Amino acid sequence: HSDAQEAENSLHELAALAETAGAEVLDGMLQRRPNPDPATYIGSGKAQELREIVAETGADTVVADSELAPSQRRALEDVVKVKVIDRTAVILDIFSQHATSREGKAQVELAQLEYLLPRLRGWGESMSRQAGGQVGGQGAGMGSRGPGETKIELDRRRINTRMAKLRKQIASFAPARAAKRANRDRHEVPSVAIAGYTNAGKSSLLNRVTKAGVLVENALFATLDPTVRRTETPDGRLYTLSDTVGFVRNLPHQLVEAFRSTLEEVADSDVIVHVVDASHEDPSTQLATVRDVIGEVGARDITEIVVFNKADLVDDDERLLLRGLVPNAVFVSARTGEGIETLMDRIADAIPRPDVTLDLLIP
Ligand code: GDP
């Protein structure tokens, strides 16, 4: 596959990431040039074009797929007149939404500070004006959730102190984590985690399944974590279905630890629904990568249901190939609804049934 195709794929993934982070994606722009422009990265002509797109669409943020130098980011902001962030900032934003455990939160904050440190002077006023939360605060726009907005008060030394403290905390969590794994509590309500690459269709599938089943309303539950839903099997057993943090191609290496700790929620689930984009150019590599990491976070023994989503986009020959890859996979389309009932039956079979006690058997 050509570089142009690769850039196009990467841009699609970036759009999916931005949507996961809560943004509405209005437009995209690709540029080919042998070397980045030292001033604005994309060059002044393209920057003007971008400014027009921003003005026409009313966008309030530009997301760059590449890592910009602080000076390039500022120069670009001066031209386009809105906030400019990069891919890493979007990913960090998603991680902070998914981090639920104390360790996960600490790992994500550490990654945010590592990201922030070399950019301290680069963060423009537009950022601090918009945000105004405390460290780790929520509520600001995409890319500004987290410690970014407090840069004015926090000098480098204090950030370094905080990072040292977080590293110590994280090291102290490790033994507790192992113990927790060893005697994993059976959940009162079985939990099903949806894992897979960003853009595989995890959240579309979550919506499909919970819409097809009975969505059990629970306001408190809903506000606690928007990525978790309660639903029922066809025979009326409750379970939770959660969308886990998506895998990303070419994850920046400084985010690997934060990603793993955020993904650890899958190690706590009873069943993993592993969603693969059937129309992807290389599903077998994606499948293997996800399985490797699932193993590494301690979820190797959890029942896995492999789902080839976007079945509406593949022909019979391709299905045959995928079937060869995972013989008992379920083919579904979150778009057309194909296979959703089969998937729900498979989930129903896989989740643990309540223990039947003797007094039920002997009257
Ligand atoms: P996530 O990042 O894994 O949560 O993926 P999304 O659910 O956001 O879906 C990513 C993109 O794939 C969106 O543009 C969806 O509309 C599209 N999509 C999801 N499921 C299907 C499907 O079954 N068929 C087709 N053709 N597109 C789908």
Side-chain angles (χ1 to χ4, degrees), residues 20 197-204 309-310 312-313 333-335:
T20 304
Y197 271 82
T198 289
N199 216 25
K202 297 188 308 304
S203 64
S204 307
N309 185 37
K310 310 199 188 181
D312 55 297
L313 298 179
S333 167
R335 178 153 299 170

Side-chain angles (χ1 to χ4, degrees), residues 105-126:
K105 285 187 170 134
Q107 289 277 19
V108 172
E109 189 184 344
L110 183 63
Q112 284 174 321
L113 293 175
E114 268 167 4
Y115 175 76
L116 174 64
L117 204 54
R119 290 170 178 78
L120 262 189
R121 258 184 303 172
W123 289 64
E125 300 75 49
S126 57

Side-chain angles (χ1 to χ4, degrees), residues 99-221:
T100 46
S101 67
R102 279 171 58 210
E103 177 174 6
K105 285 187 170 134
Q107 289 277 19
V108 172
E109 189 184 344
L110 183 63
Q112 284 174 321
L113 293 175
E114 268 167 4
Y115 175 76
L116 174 64
L117 204 54
R119 290 170 178 78
L120 262 189
R121 258 184 303 172
W123 289 64
E125 300 75 49
S126 57
M127 212 58 169
S128 43
R129 233 189 295 124
Q130 288 211 10
Q134 75 287 36
V135 170
Q138 302 257 339
M142 178 179 62
S144 54
R145 195 179 279 108
E149 63 268 26
T150 53
K151 62 103 185 166
I152 300 157
E153 309 95 74
L154 285 178
D155 62 15
R156 279 199 169 74
R157 187 180 308 205
R158 284 176 58 199
I159 290 184
N160 276 318
T161 308
R162 177 76 187 146
M163 284 167 68
K165 195 174 163 199
L166 287 167
R167 286 198 184 96
K168 255 197 191 154
Q169 253 181 31
I170 289 162
S172 76
F173 286 142
R177 197 199 320 156
K180 189 176 150 210
R181 285 269 165 67
N183 51 23
R184 209 162 62 86
D185 288 336
R186 289 266 315 251
H187 297 266
E188 223 168 285
V189 177
S191 64
V192 177
I194 304 181
Y197 271 82
T198 289
N199 216 25
K202 297 188 308 304
S203 64
S204 307
L205 218 52
L206 178 77
N207 287 329
R208 263 286 182 183
V209 171
T210 46
K211 230 184 259 164
V214 183
L215 177 61
V216 180
E217 293 295 343
N218 183 330
L220 180 66
F221 210 74

